[in-house]
Amino acid sequence: MTDNQKKFKEQYIADVLDGSGEMGDELLELFDAVLAEFNDDPEEMSAFIQSIIDEHTPPEPDELEKLKQENEELRQRQEMSEEALLQLSDMILSK
């Protein structure tokens, strides 16, 4: 990664992803410099920006992780239900 690309990445994260969401003059100048490094290929520039976004954005849990989370939540609910049922039965039996 070139110096311009590193600077662009840092500035893009600060201004666009974590900041106002807009590219300021300095970032636009870096954009042009990096685009020139990619031989003015918009697809390469787009892929570069997408890689910054992907790297900065936490990944979505995959289907297996979602199922594991759901399973754990259901297990916790079941335990709470069992505990409530035991407390109710203790209350009824103690009368």
Side-chain angles (χ1 to χ4, degrees):
M1 186 178 294
T2 67
D3 285 341
N4 284 334
Q5 291 172 2
K6 288 178 187 175
K7 288 177 189 174
F8 178 84
K9 179 180 176 180
E10 291 171 5
Q11 196 71 37
Y12 187 86
I13 291 170
D15 292 356
V16 177
L17 300 180
D18 293 338
S20 66
E22 297 180 13
M23 293 175 65
D25 292 338
E26 183 181 345
L27 188 56
L28 288 172
E29 287 177 21
L30 285 169
F31 179 93
D32 290 336
V34 172
L35 182 60
E37 291 174 1
F38 289 134
N39 298 318
D40 294 325
D41 185 346
E43 289 181 20
E44 280 191 57
M45 188 65 184
S46 180
F48 177 64
I49 292 174
Q50 188 60 50
S51 72
I52 295 170
I53 294 169
D54 292 345
E55 187 178 310
H56 188 69
T57 307
E60 286 288 318
D62 62 2
E63 196 63 31
L64 181 60
E65 281 299 315
K66 288 179 184 177
L67 290 172
K68 284 180 181 177
Q69 290 173 353
E70 184 178 347
N71 190 29
E72 182 60 32
E73 289 172 11
L74 290 172
R75 185 176 290 121
Q76 289 174 351
R77 286 183 185 176
Q78 179 185 2
E79 289 173 2
M80 289 171 47
S81 297
E82 288 173 355
E83 187 176 321
L85 184 58
L86 286 173
Q87 288 176 352
L88 281 173
S89 61
D90 284 347
M91 287 172 38
I92 291 171
L93 293 175
S94 67
K95 287 185 177 183

